[in-house]
Amino acid sequence: MASDQRVEIWTDGGCKPNPGPGGWGALLRYGGTVREISGAEPDTTNNRMELTAAAAALEALTRPCAVALHTDSQYVRNGVTKWHQSWARRNWRTAAGDPVANTDLWQRLLQAAAQHRVEWRWVRGHSGDEFNNRAHRLATLARQAVKDGPAPDEPVQ
């Protein structure tokens, strides 16, 4: 069961072009501590990066806690709060009988969320929210790094 600790998380993901190189970013804030995480894939989609950002952020938490997760993705928010139960009942099929896109990431996200008490908050993207903007910047930098390779002064890992 989640403790009374409250963690605020902002996530973002994207591709340019879509599909194409993509990145995700997340900002986790607890009290006065802020942690930033990000990652990228060379060939992916916006939706996969949005899902990965949320899953990775929740997986980064070291113990169960209360979470307010802010996302600018209606796809993520609606999938977690409205759609996933119907998909699971239909063996991860849509109402039309087609396989649900990104099932692997939906299941990863739901498993990560099950460890916590998560309040899913939608925030309008590019609307001036400081932390959403930072998550967007982390995702963009990660995407650019996977697309262009490391900067000349960056060591290759």
Side-chain angles (χ1 to χ4, degrees), residues 24-28 35-39 52-53 55-60 135 138-139:
W24 61 267
L27 184 144
L28 296 81
R35 180 176 174 199
E36 296 178 346
I37 59 175
S38 62
T52 299
L58 292 170
E59 290 165 349
L138 291 168

Side-chain angles (χ1 to χ4, degrees), residues 61-153:
L61 300 175
T62 59
R63 67 183 134 223
C65 51
V67 176
L69 193 146
H70 306 258
T71 176
D72 62 8
S73 170
Q74 290 284 8
Y75 176 68
V76 170
R77 184 169 171 265
N78 288 334
V80 169
T81 62
K82 298 178 183 178
W83 304 330
H84 83 273
Q85 291 171 334
S86 296
W87 292 336
R89 275 195 308 271
R90 291 190 297 263
N91 198 28
W92 291 92
R93 300 257 173 204
T94 66
D98 298 321
V100 171
N102 305 313
T103 299
D104 59 329
L105 290 174
W106 283 115
Q107 291 173 340
R108 176 183 169 192
L109 176 56
L110 292 168
Q111 183 177 0
Q115 308 303 310
H116 310 286
R117 281 193 327 262
V118 183
E119 179 185 344
W120 299 90
R121 297 182 181 174
W122 182 74
V123 59
R124 183 174 304 282
H126 314 288
S127 65
D129 183 294
E130 170 189 358
F131 299 113
N132 178 257
N133 290 344
R134 182 62 189 154
H136 177 77
R137 183 74 179 138
L138 291 168
T140 299
L141 290 171
R143 175 185 52 79
Q144 290 171 339
V146 78
K147 178 182 171 210
D148 302 331
D153 60 341

Side-chain angles (χ1 to χ4, degrees), residues 35-54:
R35 180 176 174 199
E36 296 178 346
I37 59 175
S38 62
E41 293 183 23
D43 188 24
T44 189
T45 66
N46 282 339
N47 286 342
R48 288 190 68 79
M49 292 293 89
E50 292 280 5
L51 287 165
T52 299

